[in-house]
PDB file of all heavy atoms in Angstrom:
ATOM      1  N   ILE R  14     -49.580   4.563 -28.467  1.00  0.00           N
ATOM      2  CA  ILE R  14     -49.231   4.876 -29.859  1.00  0.00           C
ATOM      3  C   ILE R  14     -48.784   3.643 -30.630  1.00  0.00           C
ATOM      4  O   ILE R  14     -48.564   3.714 -31.842  1.00  0.00           O
ATOM      5  CB  ILE R  14     -48.125   5.960 -29.959  1.00  0.00           C
ATOM      6  CG1 ILE R  14     -46.824   5.484 -29.285  1.00  0.00           C
ATOM      7  CG2 ILE R  14     -48.585   7.289 -29.402  1.00  0.00           C
ATOM      8  CD1 ILE R  14     -45.611   6.381 -29.580  1.00  0.00           C
ATOM      9  N   ILE R  18     -48.016   3.577 -34.818  1.00  0.00           N
ATOM     10  CA  ILE R  18     -46.666   3.551 -35.413  1.00  0.00           C
ATOM     11  C   ILE R  18     -46.412   2.236 -36.145  1.00  0.00           C
ATOM     12  O   ILE R  18     -45.762   2.198 -37.180  1.00  0.00           O
ATOM     13  CB  ILE R  18     -45.566   3.801 -34.347  1.00  0.00           C
ATOM     14  CG1 ILE R  18     -45.707   2.844 -33.174  1.00  0.00           C
ATOM     15  CG2 ILE R  18     -45.590   5.256 -33.878  1.00  0.00           C
ATOM     16  CD1 ILE R  18     -44.541   2.855 -32.221  1.00  0.00           C
ATOM     17  N   LEU R  72     -42.836  -5.302 -32.561  1.00  0.00           N
ATOM     18  CA  LEU R  72     -43.678  -4.845 -31.456  1.00  0.00           C
ATOM     19  C   LEU R  72     -43.790  -3.322 -31.477  1.00  0.00           C
ATOM     20  O   LEU R  72     -42.790  -2.638 -31.754  1.00  0.00           O
ATOM     21  CB  LEU R  72     -43.048  -5.311 -30.133  1.00  0.00           C
ATOM     22  CG  LEU R  72     -43.593  -4.693 -28.838  1.00  0.00           C
ATOM     23  CD1 LEU R  72     -45.016  -5.162 -28.556  1.00  0.00           C
ATOM     24  CD2 LEU R  72     -42.693  -5.057 -27.659  1.00  0.00           C
ATOM     25  N   GLY R  73     -44.994  -2.802 -31.163  1.00  0.00           N
ATOM     26  CA  GLY R  73     -45.140  -1.352 -30.992  1.00  0.00           C
ATOM     27  C   GLY R  73     -44.610  -0.970 -29.620  1.00  0.00           C
ATOM     28  O   GLY R  73     -43.414  -0.765 -29.433  1.00  0.00           O
ATOM     29  N   ALA R  74     -45.487  -0.916 -28.635  1.00  0.00           N
ATOM     30  CA  ALA R  74     -45.084  -0.659 -27.246  1.00  0.00           C
ATOM     31  C   ALA R  74     -46.245  -1.081 -26.370  1.00  0.00           C
ATOM     32  O   ALA R  74     -47.379  -1.131 -26.844  1.00  0.00           O
ATOM     33  CB  ALA R  74     -44.787   0.817 -27.030  1.00  0.00           C
ATOM     34  N   VAL R  75     -45.953  -1.404 -25.113  1.00  0.00           N
ATOM     35  CA  VAL R  75     -47.039  -1.831 -24.227  1.00  0.00           C
ATOM     36  C   VAL R  75     -47.122  -0.938 -22.991  1.00  0.00           C
ATOM     37  O   VAL R  75     -46.149  -0.303 -22.601  1.00  0.00           O
ATOM     38  CB  VAL R  75     -46.873  -3.304 -23.774  1.00  0.00           C
ATOM     39  CG1 VAL R  75     -46.971  -4.246 -24.955  1.00  0.00           C
ATOM     40  CG2 VAL R  75     -45.585  -3.511 -22.996  1.00  0.00           C
ATOM     41  N   GLY R  76     -48.312  -0.915 -22.384  1.00  0.00           N
ATOM     42  CA  GLY R  76     -48.493  -0.225 -21.114  1.00  0.00           C
ATOM     43  C   GLY R  76     -49.288   1.058 -21.234  1.00  0.00           C
ATOM     44  O   GLY R  76     -49.563   1.541 -22.332  1.00  0.00           O
ATOM     45  N   GLY R  77     -49.648   1.576 -20.071  1.00  0.00           N
ATOM     46  CA  GLY R  77     -50.404   2.824 -20.018  1.00  0.00           C
ATOM     47  C   GLY R  77     -51.113   2.936 -18.678  1.00  0.00           C
ATOM     48  O   GLY R  77     -51.249   1.930 -17.963  1.00  0.00           O
ATOM     49  N   PRO R  78     -51.586   4.124 -18.344  1.00  0.00           N
ATOM     50  CA  PRO R  78     -52.180   4.361 -17.020  1.00  0.00           C
ATOM     51  C   PRO R  78     -53.381   3.471 -16.725  1.00  0.00           C
ATOM     52  O   PRO R  78     -53.637   3.119 -15.581  1.00  0.00           O
ATOM     53  CB  PRO R  78     -52.599   5.840 -17.062  1.00  0.00           C
ATOM     54  CG  PRO R  78     -52.414   6.306 -18.462  1.00  0.00           C
ATOM     55  CD  PRO R  78     -51.537   5.332 -19.176  1.00  0.00           C
ATOM     56  N   ASP R  81     -52.140   0.527 -14.799  1.00  0.00           N
ATOM     57  CA  ASP R  81     -51.110   0.742 -13.779  1.00  0.00           C
ATOM     58  C   ASP R  81     -51.484   0.197 -12.410  1.00  0.00           C
ATOM     59  O   ASP R  81     -50.616  -0.094 -11.594  1.00  0.00           O
ATOM     60  CB  ASP R  81     -50.780   2.244 -13.649  1.00  0.00           C
ATOM     61  CG  ASP R  81     -49.746   2.666 -14.685  1.00  0.00           C
ATOM     62  OD1 ASP R  81     -49.213   1.779 -15.370  1.00  0.00           O
ATOM     63  OD2 ASP R  81     -49.504   3.886 -14.812  1.00  0.00           O
ATOM     64  N   GLU R  90     -46.340  -4.969 -18.920  1.00  0.00           N
ATOM     65  CA  GLU R  90     -44.900  -5.222 -19.146  1.00  0.00           C
ATOM     66  C   GLU R  90     -44.507  -6.667 -18.856  1.00  0.00           C
ATOM     67  O   GLU R  90     -43.471  -7.150 -19.318  1.00  0.00           O
ATOM     68  CB  GLU R  90     -44.016  -4.225 -18.371  1.00  0.00           C
ATOM     69  CG  GLU R  90     -44.264  -4.095 -16.901  1.00  0.00           C
ATOM     70  CD  GLU R  90     -45.351  -3.065 -16.564  1.00  0.00           C
ATOM     71  OE1 GLU R  90     -46.250  -2.800 -17.397  1.00  0.00           O
ATOM     72  OE2 GLU R  90     -45.325  -2.539 -15.446  1.00  0.00           O
ATOM     73  N   LEU R  93     -44.155  -8.501 -22.022  1.00  0.00           N
ATOM     74  CA  LEU R  93     -42.868  -8.242 -22.670  1.00  0.00           C
ATOM     75  C   LEU R  93     -41.758  -9.085 -22.022  1.00  0.00           C
ATOM     76  O   LEU R  93     -40.954  -9.720 -22.719  1.00  0.00           O
ATOM     77  CB  LEU R  93     -42.569  -6.746 -22.503  1.00  0.00           C
ATOM     78  CG  LEU R  93     -41.447  -6.132 -23.274  1.00  0.00           C
ATOM     79  CD1 LEU R  93     -41.672  -6.297 -24.757  1.00  0.00           C
ATOM     80  CD2 LEU R  93     -41.358  -4.630 -22.933  1.00  0.00           C
ATOM     81  N   ARG R  97     -39.511 -12.048 -23.754  1.00  0.00           N
ATOM     82  CA  ARG R  97     -38.041 -12.046 -23.762  1.00  0.00           C
ATOM     83  C   ARG R  97     -37.481 -13.323 -23.172  1.00  0.00           C
ATOM     84  O   ARG R  97     -36.542 -13.890 -23.702  1.00  0.00           O
ATOM     85  CB  ARG R  97     -37.510 -10.856 -22.939  1.00  0.00           C
ATOM     86  CG  ARG R  97     -37.633  -9.539 -23.649  1.00  0.00           C
ATOM     87  CD  ARG R  97     -37.150  -8.428 -22.736  1.00  0.00           C
ATOM     88  NE  ARG R  97     -37.329  -7.117 -23.355  1.00  0.00           N
ATOM     89  CZ  ARG R  97     -37.303  -5.965 -22.688  1.00  0.00           C
ATOM     90  NH1 ARG R  97     -37.107  -5.960 -21.380  1.00  0.00           N
ATOM     91  NH2 ARG R  97     -37.467  -4.827 -23.323  1.00  0.00           N
ATOM     92  N   SER R 261     -34.178  12.695 -30.513  1.00  0.00           N
ATOM     93  CA  SER R 261     -35.506  12.257 -30.105  1.00  0.00           C
ATOM     94  C   SER R 261     -35.589  10.759 -29.911  1.00  0.00           C
ATOM     95  O   SER R 261     -35.061   9.982 -30.699  1.00  0.00           O
ATOM     96  CB  SER R 261     -36.538  12.622 -31.159  1.00  0.00           C
ATOM     97  OG  SER R 261     -37.749  11.949 -30.859  1.00  0.00           O
ATOM     98  N   ILE R 262     -36.294  10.378 -28.876  1.00  0.00           N
ATOM     99  CA  ILE R 262     -36.538   8.966 -28.616  1.00  0.00           C
ATOM    100  C   ILE R 262     -37.415   8.369 -29.724  1.00  0.00           C
ATOM    101  O   ILE R 262     -37.425   7.163 -29.940  1.00  0.00           O
ATOM    102  CB  ILE R 262     -37.149   8.811 -27.205  1.00  0.00           C
ATOM    103  CG1 ILE R 262     -37.178   7.359 -26.759  1.00  0.00           C
ATOM    104  CG2 ILE R 262     -38.547   9.409 -27.122  1.00  0.00           C
ATOM    105  CD1 ILE R 262     -36.689   7.139 -25.386  1.00  0.00           C
ATOM    106  N   GLY R 263     -38.102   9.213 -30.461  1.00  0.00           N
ATOM    107  CA  GLY R 263     -38.971   8.742 -31.548  1.00  0.00           C
ATOM    108  C   GLY R 263     -38.206   8.249 -32.769  1.00  0.00           C
ATOM    109  O   GLY R 263     -38.805   7.818 -33.757  1.00  0.00           O
ATOM    110  N   MET R 264     -36.864   8.311 -32.732  1.00  0.00           N
ATOM    111  CA  MET R 264     -36.043   7.920 -33.885  1.00  0.00           C
ATOM    112  C   MET R 264     -35.309   6.591 -33.669  1.00  0.00           C
ATOM    113  O   MET R 264     -34.606   6.141 -34.558  1.00  0.00           O
ATOM    114  CB  MET R 264     -34.951   8.974 -34.124  1.00  0.00           C
ATOM    115  CG  MET R 264     -35.421  10.324 -34.551  1.00  0.00           C
ATOM    116  SD  MET R 264     -36.195  10.294 -36.165  1.00  0.00           S
ATOM    117  CE  MET R 264     -34.867   9.671 -37.192  1.00  0.00           C
ATOM    118  N   GLU R 279     -38.377  -3.537 -31.834  1.00  0.00           N
ATOM    119  CA  GLU R 279     -39.308  -2.549 -31.274  1.00  0.00           C
ATOM    120  C   GLU R 279     -38.611  -1.211 -31.140  1.00  0.00           C
ATOM    121  O   GLU R 279     -37.402  -1.146 -30.967  1.00  0.00           O
ATOM    122  CB  GLU R 279     -39.806  -3.002 -29.898  1.00  0.00           C
ATOM    123  CG  GLU R 279     -38.690  -3.309 -28.934  1.00  0.00           C
ATOM    124  CD  GLU R 279     -39.154  -3.702 -27.535  1.00  0.00           C
ATOM    125  OE1 GLU R 279     -40.038  -3.038 -26.988  1.00  0.00           O
ATOM    126  OE2 GLU R 279     -38.584  -4.651 -26.989  1.00  0.00           O
ATOM    127  N   PRO R 280     -39.390  -0.124 -31.189  1.00  0.00           N
ATOM    128  CA  PRO R 280     -38.799   1.176 -30.906  1.00  0.00           C
ATOM    129  C   PRO R 280     -38.341   1.227 -29.458  1.00  0.00           C
ATOM    130  O   PRO R 280     -38.874   0.493 -28.616  1.00  0.00           O
ATOM    131  CB  PRO R 280     -39.953   2.156 -31.140  1.00  0.00           C
ATOM    132  CG  PRO R 280     -41.172   1.364 -31.335  1.00  0.00           C
ATOM    133  CD  PRO R 280     -40.827  -0.068 -31.488  1.00  0.00           C
ATOM    134  N   CYS R 281     -37.360   2.095 -29.155  1.00  0.00           N
ATOM    135  CA  CYS R 281     -36.878   2.197 -27.770  1.00  0.00           C
ATOM    136  C   CYS R 281     -37.877   2.891 -26.855  1.00  0.00           C
ATOM    137  O   CYS R 281     -37.826   2.740 -25.642  1.00  0.00           O
ATOM    138  CB  CYS R 281     -35.572   2.994 -27.724  1.00  0.00           C
ATOM    139  SG  CYS R 281     -34.215   2.080 -28.436  1.00  0.00           S
ATOM    140  N   HIS R 282     -38.795   3.653 -27.449  1.00  0.00           N
ATOM    141  CA  HIS R 282     -39.709   4.408 -26.596  1.00  0.00           C
ATOM    142  C   HIS R 282     -40.863   3.549 -26.096  1.00  0.00           C
ATOM    143  O   HIS R 282     -41.049   2.408 -26.532  1.00  0.00           O
ATOM    144  CB  HIS R 282     -40.250   5.630 -27.353  1.00  0.00           C
ATOM    145  CG  HIS R 282     -40.961   5.301 -28.629  1.00  0.00           C
ATOM    146  ND1 HIS R 282     -42.199   4.714 -28.657  1.00  0.00           N
ATOM    147  CD2 HIS R 282     -40.599   5.459 -29.937  1.00  0.00           C
ATOM    148  CE1 HIS R 282     -42.573   4.550 -29.913  1.00  0.00           C
ATOM    149  NE2 HIS R 282     -41.615   4.981 -30.712  1.00  0.00           N
ATOM    150  N   GLY R 283     -41.663   4.133 -25.186  1.00  0.00           N
ATOM    151  CA  GLY R 283     -42.823   3.436 -24.645  1.00  0.00           C
ATOM    152  C   GLY R 283     -44.083   3.753 -25.437  1.00  0.00           C
ATOM    153  O   GLY R 283     -44.008   4.172 -26.608  1.00  0.00           O
ATOM    154  N   SER R 284     -45.238   3.569 -24.788  1.00  0.00           N
ATOM    155  CA  SER R 284     -46.510   3.678 -25.493  1.00  0.00           C
ATOM    156  C   SER R 284     -47.037   5.116 -25.540  1.00  0.00           C
ATOM    157  O   SER R 284     -48.121   5.351 -26.088  1.00  0.00           O
ATOM    158  CB  SER R 284     -47.536   2.764 -24.834  1.00  0.00           C
ATOM    159  OG  SER R 284     -47.693   3.167 -23.480  1.00  0.00           O
ATOM    160  N   ALA R 285     -46.298   6.051 -24.956  1.00  0.00           N
ATOM    161  CA  ALA R 285     -46.611   7.496 -25.018  1.00  0.00           C
ATOM    162  C   ALA R 285     -48.106   7.788 -24.917  1.00  0.00           C
ATOM    163  O   ALA R 285     -48.689   8.397 -25.823  1.00  0.00           O
ATOM    164  CB  ALA R 285     -46.024   8.101 -26.297  1.00  0.00           C
ATOM    165  N   PRO R 286     -48.752   7.391 -23.817  1.00  0.00           N
ATOM    166  CA  PRO R 286     -50.210   7.613 -23.718  1.00  0.00           C
ATOM    167  C   PRO R 286     -50.594   9.087 -23.833  1.00  0.00           C
ATOM    168  O   PRO R 286     -51.711   9.404 -24.254  1.00  0.00           O
ATOM    169  CB  PRO R 286     -50.563   7.056 -22.330  1.00  0.00           C
ATOM    170  CG  PRO R 286     -49.289   6.730 -21.645  1.00  0.00           C
ATOM    171  CD  PRO R 286     -48.198   6.694 -22.647  1.00  0.00           C
ATOM    172  N   ASP R 287     -49.654   9.988 -23.506  1.00  0.00           N
ATOM    173  CA  ASP R 287     -49.972  11.427 -23.561  1.00  0.00           C
ATOM    174  C   ASP R 287     -50.267  11.917 -24.980  1.00  0.00           C
ATOM    175  O   ASP R 287     -50.940  12.923 -25.157  1.00  0.00           O
ATOM    176  CB  ASP R 287     -48.826  12.267 -22.940  1.00  0.00           C
ATOM    177  CG  ASP R 287     -47.449  11.966 -23.534  1.00  0.00           C
ATOM    178  OD1 ASP R 287     -47.217  10.808 -23.959  1.00  0.00           O
ATOM    179  OD2 ASP R 287     -46.608  12.881 -23.588  1.00  0.00           O
ATOM    180  N   ILE R 288     -49.785  11.211 -26.001  1.00  0.00           N
ATOM    181  CA  ILE R 288     -50.036  11.676 -27.374  1.00  0.00           C
ATOM    182  C   ILE R 288     -50.786  10.630 -28.221  1.00  0.00           C
ATOM    183  O   ILE R 288     -50.962  10.819 -29.421  1.00  0.00           O
ATOM    184  CB  ILE R 288     -48.717  12.071 -28.087  1.00  0.00           C
ATOM    185  CG1 ILE R 288     -47.727  10.894 -28.111  1.00  0.00           C
ATOM    186  CG2 ILE R 288     -48.086  13.301 -27.446  1.00  0.00           C
ATOM    187  CD1 ILE R 288     -46.568  11.124 -29.085  1.00  0.00           C
ATOM    188  N   LEU R 293     -49.728  12.307 -33.579  1.00  0.00           N
ATOM    189  CA  LEU R 293     -48.519  13.083 -33.264  1.00  0.00           C
ATOM    190  C   LEU R 293     -47.274  12.208 -33.154  1.00  0.00           C
ATOM    191  O   LEU R 293     -46.151  12.712 -33.157  1.00  0.00           O
ATOM    192  CB  LEU R 293     -48.703  13.802 -31.913  1.00  0.00           C
ATOM    193  CG  LEU R 293     -49.735  14.929 -31.872  1.00  0.00           C
ATOM    194  CD1 LEU R 293     -49.901  15.448 -30.442  1.00  0.00           C
ATOM    195  CD2 LEU R 293     -49.285  16.077 -32.792  1.00  0.00           C
ATOM    196  N   ALA R 294     -47.456  10.891 -33.020  1.00  0.00           N
ATOM    197  CA  ALA R 294     -46.311  10.009 -32.762  1.00  0.00           C
ATOM    198  C   ALA R 294     -45.384   9.934 -33.970  1.00  0.00           C
ATOM    199  O   ALA R 294     -45.830   9.897 -35.114  1.00  0.00           O
ATOM    200  CB  ALA R 294     -46.822   8.615 -32.419  1.00  0.00           C
ATOM    201  N   ASN R 295     -44.112   9.898 -33.681  1.00  0.00           N
ATOM    202  CA  ASN R 295     -43.102   9.715 -34.724  1.00  0.00           C
ATOM    203  C   ASN R 295     -43.000   8.212 -35.036  1.00  0.00           C
ATOM    204  O   ASN R 295     -42.628   7.428 -34.155  1.00  0.00           O
ATOM    205  CB  ASN R 295     -41.765  10.248 -34.193  1.00  0.00           C
ATOM    206  CG  ASN R 295     -40.675  10.222 -35.242  1.00  0.00           C
ATOM    207  OD1 ASN R 295     -40.825   9.581 -36.281  1.00  0.00           O
ATOM    208  ND2 ASN R 295     -39.576  10.902 -34.969  1.00  0.00           N
ATOM    209  N   PRO R 296     -43.297   7.799 -36.261  1.00  0.00           N
ATOM    210  CA  PRO R 296     -43.252   6.360 -36.565  1.00  0.00           C
ATOM    211  C   PRO R 296     -41.871   5.877 -36.998  1.00  0.00           C
ATOM    212  O   PRO R 296     -41.687   4.704 -37.311  1.00  0.00           O
ATOM    213  CB  PRO R 296     -44.237   6.248 -37.734  1.00  0.00           C
ATOM    214  CG  PRO R 296     -44.074   7.543 -38.466  1.00  0.00           C
ATOM    215  CD  PRO R 296     -43.762   8.593 -37.427  1.00  0.00           C
ATOM    216  N   LEU R 297     -40.873   6.790 -37.036  1.00  0.00           N
ATOM    217  CA  LEU R 297     -39.586   6.400 -37.631  1.00  0.00           C
ATOM    218  C   LEU R 297     -38.844   5.338 -36.811  1.00  0.00           C
ATOM    219  O   LEU R 297     -38.195   4.456 -37.380  1.00  0.00           O
ATOM    220  CB  LEU R 297     -38.701   7.634 -37.858  1.00  0.00           C
ATOM    221  CG  LEU R 297     -39.217   8.590 -38.939  1.00  0.00           C
ATOM    222  CD1 LEU R 297     -38.305   9.808 -39.075  1.00  0.00           C
ATOM    223  CD2 LEU R 297     -39.348   7.896 -40.300  1.00  0.00           C
ATOM    224  N   ALA R 298     -38.955   5.387 -35.475  1.00  0.00           N
ATOM    225  CA  ALA R 298     -38.288   4.350 -34.673  1.00  0.00           C
ATOM    226  C   ALA R 298     -38.872   2.976 -35.016  1.00  0.00           C
ATOM    227  O   ALA R 298     -38.145   1.986 -35.115  1.00  0.00           O
ATOM    228  CB  ALA R 298     -38.448   4.639 -33.188  1.00  0.00           C
ATOM    229  N   THR R 334     -42.164  15.017 -37.723  1.00  0.00           N
ATOM    230  CA  THR R 334     -43.268  14.933 -36.757  1.00  0.00           C
ATOM    231  C   THR R 334     -42.952  15.939 -35.640  1.00  0.00           C
ATOM    232  O   THR R 334     -41.825  16.429 -35.547  1.00  0.00           O
ATOM    233  CB  THR R 334     -43.379  13.505 -36.186  1.00  0.00           C
ATOM    234  OG1 THR R 334     -42.070  13.016 -35.929  1.00  0.00           O
ATOM    235  CG2 THR R 334     -44.106  12.578 -37.144  1.00  0.00           C
ATOM    236  N   THR R 335     -43.957  16.186 -34.793  1.00  0.00           N
ATOM    237  CA  THR R 335     -43.816  17.264 -33.798  1.00  0.00           C
ATOM    238  C   THR R 335     -42.570  17.133 -32.932  1.00  0.00           C
ATOM    239  O   THR R 335     -41.916  18.129 -32.617  1.00  0.00           O
ATOM    240  CB  THR R 335     -45.074  17.274 -32.884  1.00  0.00           C
ATOM    241  OG1 THR R 335     -46.218  17.294 -33.738  1.00  0.00           O
ATOM    242  CG2 THR R 335     -45.103  18.479 -31.981  1.00  0.00           C
ATOM    243  N   ASP R 336     -42.228  15.911 -32.532  1.00  0.00           N
ATOM    244  CA  ASP R 336     -41.106  15.721 -31.592  1.00  0.00           C
ATOM    245  C   ASP R 336     -39.761  16.167 -32.155  1.00  0.00           C
ATOM    246  O   ASP R 336     -38.850  16.471 -31.400  1.00  0.00           O
ATOM    247  CB  ASP R 336     -41.032  14.239 -31.169  1.00  0.00           C
ATOM    248  CG  ASP R 336     -40.889  13.308 -32.367  1.00  0.00           C
ATOM    249  OD1 ASP R 336     -41.647  13.480 -33.340  1.00  0.00           O
ATOM    250  OD2 ASP R 336     -40.029  12.424 -32.331  1.00  0.00           O
TER     251      ASP R 336
HETATM  252  P1  NAD I   1     -42.605   6.965 -23.320  1.00  0.00           P
HETATM  253  O1  NAD I   1     -41.389   6.602 -24.091  1.00  0.00           O
HETATM  254  O2  NAD I   1     -43.858   6.302 -23.695  1.00  0.00           O
HETATM  255  O3  NAD I   1     -42.812   8.554 -23.413  1.00  0.00           O
HETATM  256  C1  NAD I   1     -41.853   9.489 -22.949  1.00  0.00           C
HETATM  257  C2  NAD I   1     -42.058  10.827 -23.691  1.00  0.00           C
HETATM  258  O4  NAD I   1     -41.619  10.677 -25.047  1.00  0.00           O
HETATM  259  C3  NAD I   1     -43.532  11.237 -23.775  1.00  0.00           C
HETATM  260  O5  NAD I   1     -43.603  12.636 -23.673  1.00  0.00           O
HETATM  261  C4  NAD I   1     -43.966  10.793 -25.155  1.00  0.00           C
HETATM  262  O6  NAD I   1     -45.002  11.574 -25.703  1.00  0.00           O
HETATM  263  C5  NAD I   1     -42.673  10.949 -25.943  1.00  0.00           C
HETATM  264  N1  NAD I   1     -42.592   9.956 -27.039  1.00  0.00           N
HETATM  265  C6  NAD I   1     -42.356   8.638 -26.909  1.00  0.00           C
HETATM  266  N2  NAD I   1     -42.384   8.040 -28.105  1.00  0.00           N
HETATM  267  C7  NAD I   1     -42.634   8.999 -29.002  1.00  0.00           C
HETATM  268  C8  NAD I   1     -42.791   8.998 -30.422  1.00  0.00           C
HETATM  269  N3  NAD I   1     -42.692   7.880 -31.165  1.00  0.00           N
HETATM  270  N4  NAD I   1     -43.050  10.160 -31.033  1.00  0.00           N
HETATM  271  C9  NAD I   1     -43.142  11.304 -30.335  1.00  0.00           C
HETATM  272  N5  NAD I   1     -43.003  11.370 -28.998  1.00  0.00           N
HETATM  273  C10 NAD I   1     -42.759  10.221 -28.343  1.00  0.00           C
HETATM  274  O7  NAD I   1     -42.264   6.694 -21.771  1.00  0.00           O
HETATM  275  P2  NAD I   1     -43.198   6.797 -20.473  1.00  0.00           P
HETATM  276  O8  NAD I   1     -44.101   7.975 -20.604  1.00  0.00           O
HETATM  277  O9  NAD I   1     -42.273   6.691 -19.337  1.00  0.00           O
HETATM  278  O10 NAD I   1     -44.064   5.472 -20.501  1.00  0.00           O
HETATM  279  C11 NAD I   1     -45.396   5.377 -21.003  1.00  0.00           C
HETATM  280  C12 NAD I   1     -45.852   3.940 -20.935  1.00  0.00           C
HETATM  281  O11 NAD I   1     -45.034   3.149 -21.797  1.00  0.00           O
HETATM  282  C13 NAD I   1     -45.751   3.325 -19.559  1.00  0.00           C
HETATM  283  O12 NAD I   1     -46.878   2.512 -19.343  1.00  0.00           O
HETATM  284  C14 NAD I   1     -44.482   2.471 -19.632  1.00  0.00           C
HETATM  285  O13 NAD I   1     -44.524   1.387 -18.753  1.00  0.00           O
HETATM  286  C15 NAD I   1     -44.530   2.023 -21.082  1.00  0.00           C
HETATM  287  N6  NAD I   1     -43.227   1.647 -21.654  1.00  0.00           N
HETATM  288  C16 NAD I   1     -43.231   0.600 -22.514  1.00  0.00           C
HETATM  289  C17 NAD I   1     -42.067   0.212 -23.142  1.00  0.00           C
HETATM  290  C18 NAD I   1     -42.106  -0.932 -24.103  1.00  0.00           C
HETATM  291  O14 NAD I   1     -43.176  -1.346 -24.515  1.00  0.00           O
HETATM  292  N7  NAD I   1     -40.970  -1.474 -24.512  1.00  0.00           N
HETATM  293  C19 NAD I   1     -40.880   0.928 -22.912  1.00  0.00           C
HETATM  294  C20 NAD I   1     -40.915   2.031 -22.059  1.00  0.00           C
HETATM  295  C21 NAD I   1     -42.107   2.393 -21.436  1.00  0.00           C
END
Side-chain angles (χ1 to χ4, degrees):
I14 61 169
I18 53 170
L72 167 69
V75 296
D81 275 353
E90 53 273 26
L93 191 59
R97 284 177 184 163
S261 168
I262 191 133
M264 294 295 301
E279 54 177 314
C281 289
H282 58 72
S284 60
D287 53 329
I288 57 166
L293 292 174
N295 185 346
L297 292 178
T334 41
T335 309
D336 57 313

